[in-house]
Amino acid sequence: MDWCLEVWGDYACFTRPEMKVERVSYDVMTPSAARAVYESILWKPAISWNITSIEVMNPIKWLSVRRNEVGKKASVPGLKELSGEKEPSSGIFIEDERQQRAGLLLRDVRYRIHAFFDFIPPAQRKKNLPTETALWADAGEETESARADECPAKYAAMFERRAKKGQCFHRPYLGCREFACNFQLVNPNVDKKPIPESCDLGWMLYDMDFSDIENPHALFFRAKLDGGTIRVPKKDSEEVLA
Amino acid sequence: MILQSLKEYYDRKALDPQSGIAPPGWCVKGIPFIIVLDEKGAFVSIQDMREGGGKKKVAKEFVVPLAVKKTVNIAANLLWGTAGYVLGLDLKKPMKQEEQKRTFINRIKALGDIDDLKPVITFLETDNSERLQADQYYQELVEDNAVVSFSYCDDNGLLVCQRPSVAKAINKTVGKKSNASICLVSGEPDETERLHPSIKGLYGAHTSGADIVSFNLPAFRSYNKEQGGNAPIGEIAAFAYTTALNFLLRKESKQKFRLGGDTLVFWSAKETSIESDFASWFEEPPEDDPDAKTYKIKALLKSVESGAYTGPDGKDFFYILGLSPNKKHISIRLWRRTTVSNFALNIARYFKDMSIVKPPNKPEYYSLKQVLKSIAVLDESENIPPNIAGDMMTAIIAGTPFPASVLMAAIRRIKSDQGRVKPVRAALIKACLNRSRLNINNKELGMSLDVTLPVVGYQLGRLFAALEKIQQEGLGDTNTTIRERYYGAASTSPATVFPILMRMKRHHIAKIEKKGRQVNLEKLLTEIMSRIDATKSEAFPRHLNINAQGYFAIGYYHQMQDFYTKHDTKTAPETEAVTE
């Protein structure tokens, strides 16, 4: 079962990893940004989204801006500070850390994202269960390994209902959080054609591989715009380079 | 795609032995002084390799082993370096000079046991200070901490590092491939480059070099990756794209163009003449050849008209990259990949849009700087609004309408400059209006007067010009004409001003001696008024918007130019006057 979401917004910035400081966007949406849109509508440990294709509906337009950003990363407050003792503040004074950085963003974007999810059976999911008996809801919960109604259709129905209603956990965004977007579940056969462009976009970020949580690394694939459509390979296919 | 295109450019240039681009592991550096040794390692002399006359003496450039990237740590280059490393004499850092020299010697020794290097090592390990100090260039070398390298006295300027046996040893140390990770530029497995070579030669950036790809502050790092790990680019690709960019930014490069604080570099996938001509279309012509620019632009227009770029060559890609410095970072402000034919068409269109009838002593084509100065306060280049240059260039290359602020600035300048519609401002306004989406349904503005143009702003501008001419002919030379007093109000709110001007016209026209001339001018006024009446229900609009004010300026300009053009009909001969 796969779906088509149409997303559109005024601005987008799918940042290139090599130009992270002075942001330059990719020409089109990255599969990881597309996955994030679907995950913002529905995500559960039972499903994992796969993007199959991205269609570019609007011509690619650029905008160059300069924005003020902060040059420091927020740090976790130490124990001393949390307990209330007098300590130099771990906050950031923006005036001292201000940096002006330029950005090359996309304007007036509209994409159609096709995706489906993989259902992960309960046995393979990461367990996140209480350890003390007092925390169980009742006797049955402790022994029950999985709910009886676990199946892909359940999540498919959840997603479709939420997407049709416009429900989301957090507002989907196009690359950067500040570029919020609108979304709509559409029937892909409805007549709206992607832009008639075909070109080779070079190596593009596919996604991050979090299988080793201590050391995530980036995956790349060769993005080709074919009649306005980018076919996104499967994660484990040989087109995706680690 | 950006770094990939730069790498492809490097690959294309590296195949061409004439290109002057350095192979992997090497770089091009200016070396002002060379220490000449004999075959035993004894000091012979210091050779001055600087060329050029006058104050600006430029060091001759050599291909030397790639510079190491360093900031305040001690790291020696191979067989070339500053006086602090080579001679161990650093006036600014005397504590470090010993260690610097030792690192330098060790690096040479690490190359291996090569006969050609033995004299250099002998020289470095013996005390030559007496003979060095006697040399005429020694003082300058040490004071400037100048870069210096070595040569043997019978080698005639060939550096020690360029000798075949030495170069072979150096090349062996370059290009180790491991399967560490995939390079995101080439897609091939390659060792990730930790710190990319610096980009030098970008105007306004830090003098020691700046980087596009850099992650020097914690805020820039992701997933706890350090430096180059944040964007895995292989060593080969990193070398290729930085060398290509340094090549495009070098001093005598014809493929760069400064636009305010930003720099534009451009190149094509295959060798084209556009690559080298682009800058000359937009810059001031060189002093020794002022017609070169006009000639090149005319050649472009002719070749576009004759369809020269519509063949298979026209489909080759042309790349434009706009860079802006930010201390040690370089931000990319513009990136365009277009076909050669598309690009040529858009540039030709720009020049056609900017063409307008002019007095004969004005240049036929303006440089971009002249155009932007005309809309800056007091016509000073430092008052050009900051982003306008880049936005204009983007619009020219893409063939899109000019930024709205350009039209507004031009009209504002005309009003504050007492109604002086200079030819360059008129050309710019004409281009803005013809390209604007608001005027898609209007008839296009031509190069010279078009009496039938059904735009009320245009006809009002014509009327204003005619009234000014009447005043000038009636009263002769006065201190101020109606232009200085009334232009601003006439173009903004015609209904308030034109009735007054029409009343004054009666007195001016009565003072003209020749009756025939009076009749002709009245006829002209009637003709213009009839056109105004035909466009709108009320005679004079209460307010003109910016677009209409632009038409007003052009109408005024066209009509004034028409007065000073000789016609074949029976009008009284005019004295040639230059409109300013």
Side-chain angles (χ1 to χ4, degrees):
Chain A
M1 175 86 238
D2 73 332
W3 293 273
C4 178
L5 262 184
E6 186 163 324
V7 291
W8 66 97
D10 287 334
Y11 305 101
C13 185
F14 308 108
T15 320
R16 289 178 172 273
E18 65 268 23
M19 288 143 198
K20 213 181 292 203
V21 180
E22 309 279 341
R23 286 182 200 287
V24 175
S25 172
Y26 278 114
D27 295 43
V28 295
M29 193 177 212
T30 53
S32 60
R35 170 185 58 78
V37 171
Y38 273 91
E39 284 183 354
S40 68
I41 298 172
L42 175 70
W43 182 84
K44 294 281 180 188
I47 61 173
S48 114
W49 286 104
N50 300 305
I51 309 291
T52 50
S53 73
I54 300 171
E55 287 171 39
V56 183
M57 311 301 290
N58 276 0
I60 299 171
K61 290 194 286 192
W62 299 90
L63 171 70
S64 172
V65 288
R66 276 218 142 99
R67 303 188 286 176
N68 283 341
E69 296 186 21
V70 171
K72 227 175 147 186
K73 251 187 182 162
S75 54
V76 179
L79 284 171
K80 258 186 153 183
E81 200 172 340
L82 284 175
S83 63
E85 283 175 42
K86 202 157 153 74
E87 254 252 314
S89 167
S90 64
I92 304 174
F93 286 106
I94 308 174
E95 285 73 23
D96 296 337
E97 309 292 338
R98 199 196 302 278
Q99 297 208 332
Q100 195 179 72
R101 277 142 60 175
L104 193 56
L105 322 168
L106 294 169
R107 281 217 99 235
D108 295 332
V109 295
R110 185 178 281 264
Y111 302 107
R112 278 196 173 182
I113 314 167
H114 298 256
F116 67 93
F117 66 73
D118 281 334
F119 176 72
I120 305 172
Q124 291 169 14
R125 290 177 216 167
K126 220 167 135 181
K127 300 269 183 277
N128 188 18
L129 303 166
T131 46
E132 291 182 31
T133 320
L135 295 167
W136 292 107
D138 54 32
E141 198 184 358
E142 193 174 1
T143 50
E144 202 178 273
S145 57
R147 291 175 55 132
D149 61 348
E150 281 294 307
C151 67
K154 166 178 159 186
Y155 295 97
M158 278 169 79
F159 173 75
E160 219 170 293
R161 174 174 29 95
R162 287 173 68 85
K164 283 206 182 118
K165 276 173 145 184
Q167 283 178 301
C168 52
F169 293 128
H170 61 82
R171 187 74 186 270
Y173 55 90
L174 297 168
C176 293
R177 262 275 165 79
E178 59 264 34
F179 305 130
C181 67
N182 308 302
F183 67 90
Q184 187 181 29
L185 195 64
V186 293
N187 177 355
N189 299 322
V190 168
D191 60 317
K192 224 185 203 174
K193 289 276 180 289
I195 53 172
E197 269 197 41
S198 302
C199 63
D200 184 354
L201 298 170
W203 294 98
M204 193 154 115
L205 181 76
Y206 180 83
D207 212 326
M208 295 296 289
D209 187 359
F210 292 105
S211 43
D212 176 10
I213 197 72
E214 296 298 318
N215 193 15
H217 65 273
L219 305 168
F220 295 96
F221 78 108
R222 191 84 192 211
K224 286 194 176 63
L225 198 63
D226 189 13
T229 312
I230 301 167
R231 195 186 60 78
V232 179
K234 290 181 85 151
K235 193 161 187 181
D236 47 7
S237 80
E238 56 187 21
E239 294 174 35
V240 178
L241 305 175
Chain B
M1 200 157 69
I2 300 173
L3 300 185
Q4 209 172 327
S5 315
L6 280 169
K7 178 172 181 297
E8 281 164 10
Y9 181 66
Y10 171 84
D11 291 335
R12 158 159 86 95
K13 278 291 187 180
L15 291 172
D16 175 13
Q18 305 278 346
S19 58
I21 211 168
W26 300 75
C27 68
V28 178
K29 189 109 182 89
I31 310 244
F33 296 107
I34 294 189
I35 295 179
V36 185
L37 308 171
D38 70 8
E39 64 277 4
K40 290 212 184 57
F43 172 75
V44 173
S45 68
I46 299 178
Q47 216 178 345
D48 180 0
M49 298 305 290
R50 293 171 296 181
E51 297 159 349
K55 277 200 227 161
K56 275 278 185 169
K57 277 220 228 166
V58 181
K60 185 165 169 214
E61 292 195 326
F62 291 94
V63 177
V64 293
L66 191 60
V68 290
K69 190 144 180 176
K70 70 173 208 69
T71 48
V72 290
N73 52 320
I74 293 183
N77 287 309
L78 185 55
L79 285 168
W80 64 275
T82 58
Y85 279 85
V86 174
L87 302 173
L89 291 160
D90 201 333
L91 298 171
K92 290 206 193 106
K93 297 174 271 182
M95 290 86 70
K96 289 193 180 173
Q97 61 192 16
E98 277 287 329
E99 203 187 324
Q100 283 177 338
K101 188 166 178 190
R102 244 183 301 125
T103 340
F104 185 71
I105 300 176
N106 286 339
R107 202 152 167 216
I108 302 179
K109 285 191 179 158
L111 256 190
D113 200 12
I114 305 172
D115 286 331
D116 283 346
L117 290 178
K118 290 212 171 76
V120 176
I121 299 178
T122 320
F123 166 78
L124 289 169
E125 291 189 323
T126 53
D127 179 17
N128 289 292
S129 37
E130 264 181 34
R131 300 193 66 187
L132 277 170
Q133 280 163 11
D135 192 285
Q136 49 168 327
Y137 292 114
Y138 175 77
Q139 199 60 21
E140 210 180 335
L141 202 165
V142 175
E143 274 172 8
D144 289 346
N145 202 16
V147 172
V148 69
S149 185
F150 298 98
S151 169
Y152 295 133
C153 52
D154 47 358
D155 266 349
N156 215 10
L158 183 73
L159 295 183
V160 173
C161 52
Q162 292 172 331
R163 283 185 137 234
S165 53
V166 181
K168 215 167 86 171
I170 294 173
N171 281 329
K172 274 216 210 98
T173 62
V174 171
K176 46 191 189 316
K177 256 197 207 178
S178 79
N179 291 323
S181 58
I182 300 285
C183 165
L184 65 81
V185 172
S186 62
E188 307 284 320
D190 196 1
E191 181 103 20
T192 301
E193 181 72 274
R194 194 176 160 265
L195 287 172
H196 294 204
S198 292
I199 311 288
K200 298 219 167 87
L202 184 65
Y203 174 81
H206 204 270
T207 41
S208 67
D211 299 302
I212 298 177
V213 185
S214 103
F215 309 96
N216 53 336
L217 290 184
F220 308 147
R221 294 183 206 137
S222 303
Y223 303 116
N224 290 326
K225 307 271 181 195
E226 291 282 327
Q227 301 289 11
N230 281 288
I233 297 180
E235 290 177 348
I236 299 176
F239 174 81
Y241 92 79
T242 46
T243 312
L245 200 48
N246 277 323
F247 178 74
L248 290 167
L249 288 170
R250 72 195 192 283
K251 268 203 204 81
E252 64 278 356
S253 165
K254 282 216 184 74
Q255 289 172 259
K256 70 173 180 194
F257 173 57
R258 244 186 66 197
L259 201 59
D262 299 350
T263 307
L264 225 64
V265 290
F266 37 89
W267 68 97
S268 44
K270 294 209 189 85
E271 194 97 30
T272 53
S273 58
I274 292 194
E275 252 186 339
S276 37
D277 286 341
F278 183 89
S280 55
W281 297 329
F282 293 104
E283 282 177 339
E284 305 282 335
E287 280 159 9
D288 50 353
D289 194 4
D291 290 329
K293 176 186 157 83
T294 321
Y295 172 72
K296 285 213 171 104
I297 297 176
K298 284 217 171 85
L300 167 72
L301 291 172
K302 208 158 67 161
S303 44
V304 166
E305 256 165 74
S306 64
Y309 291 111
T310 51
D313 288 348
K315 296 220 176 37
D316 289 337
F317 284 131
F318 191 82
Y319 302 95
I320 299 158
L321 183 61
L323 303 169
S324 178
N326 186 1
K327 292 190 210 139
K328 272 240 154 207
H329 292 283
I330 299 176
S331 48
I332 295 180
R333 302 302 297 265
L334 169 67
W335 164 247
R336 250 323 98 125
R337 179 177 78 167
T338 172
T339 57
V340 166
S341 64
N342 201 14
F343 181 69
L345 269 161
N346 286 335
I347 303 288
R349 178 167 169 214
Y350 163 73
F351 284 115
K352 272 209 212 82
D353 281 338
M354 288 284 287
S355 60
I356 200 167
V357 60
K358 284 188 197 99
N361 62 340
K362 293 286 170 195
E364 197 169 345
Y365 299 109
Y366 295 105
S367 72
L368 200 55
K369 195 166 172 197
Q370 284 172 314
V371 171
L372 293 175
K373 265 166 74 165
S374 72
I375 61 171
V377 174
L378 293 176
D379 288 2
E380 295 283 334
S381 56
E382 53 224 22
N383 292 330
I384 296 175
N387 288 328
I388 284 241
D391 292 341
M392 274 281 285
M393 198 39 137
T394 319
I396 294 172
I397 294 171
T400 50
F402 289 153
S405 49
V406 170
L407 180 61
M408 292 200 286
I411 291 176
R412 205 185 313 134
R413 275 302 295 152
I414 291 175
K415 284 193 214 163
S416 61
D417 206 5
Q418 297 177 327
R420 219 168 274 147
V421 185
K422 295 191 192 181
V424 58
R425 288 183 192 146
L428 183 59
I429 294 177
K430 169 183 171 270
C432 284
L433 292 172
N434 276 346
R435 289 166 84 112
S436 163
R437 276 190 244 280
L438 292 169
N439 301 323
I440 270 181
N441 294 323
N442 288 345
K443 194 169 157 201
E444 228 187 51
L445 279 169
M447 264 187 70
S448 54
L449 181 65
D450 177 2
V451 297
T452 61
L453 197 73
V455 179
V456 74
Y458 188 81
Q459 300 296 342
L460 283 170
R462 285 187 64 206
L463 184 60
F464 192 79
L467 292 171
E468 185 187 339
K469 193 79 175 61
I470 290 173
Q471 182 198 33
Q472 190 251 320
E473 287 195 13
L475 303 184
D477 277 323
T478 53
N479 274 335
T480 55
T481 63
I482 56 168
R483 188 196 76 195
E484 278 96 348
R485 289 251 165 83
Y486 290 103
Y487 182 93
S491 78
T492 325
S493 42
T496 57
V497 161
F498 273 101
I500 304 172
L501 295 177
M502 295 300 270
R503 202 164 13 97
M504 295 200 303
K505 163 214 59 146
R506 277 194 286 126
H507 307 293
H508 299 154
I509 215 167
K511 290 222 169 143
I512 297 177
E513 285 152 7
K514 296 205 185 121
K515 261 292 176 173
R517 183 70 183 143
Q518 284 188 14
V519 171
N520 279 333
L521 287 170
E522 283 282 8
K523 269 204 205 150
L524 175 65
L525 287 180
T526 323
E527 182 249 315
I528 301 176
M529 284 302 294
S530 71
R531 304 233 187 247
I532 295 174
D533 287 338
T535 57
K536 278 276 181 339
S537 54
E538 53 186 46
F540 296 119
R542 285 181 206 236
H543 175 73
L544 290 180
N545 62 19
I546 284 283
N547 202 38
Q549 287 182 38
Y551 275 105
F552 186 98
I554 301 292
Y556 171 81
Y557 179 80
H558 274 168
Q559 186 66 64
M560 285 309 254
Q561 287 298 311
D562 187 66
F563 283 136
Y564 295 115
T565 330
K566 284 199 169 44
H567 292 285
D568 288 328
T569 54
K570 300 178 257 163
T571 20
E574 306 292 335
T575 48
E576 282 280 64
V578 177
T579 0
E580 203 39 73

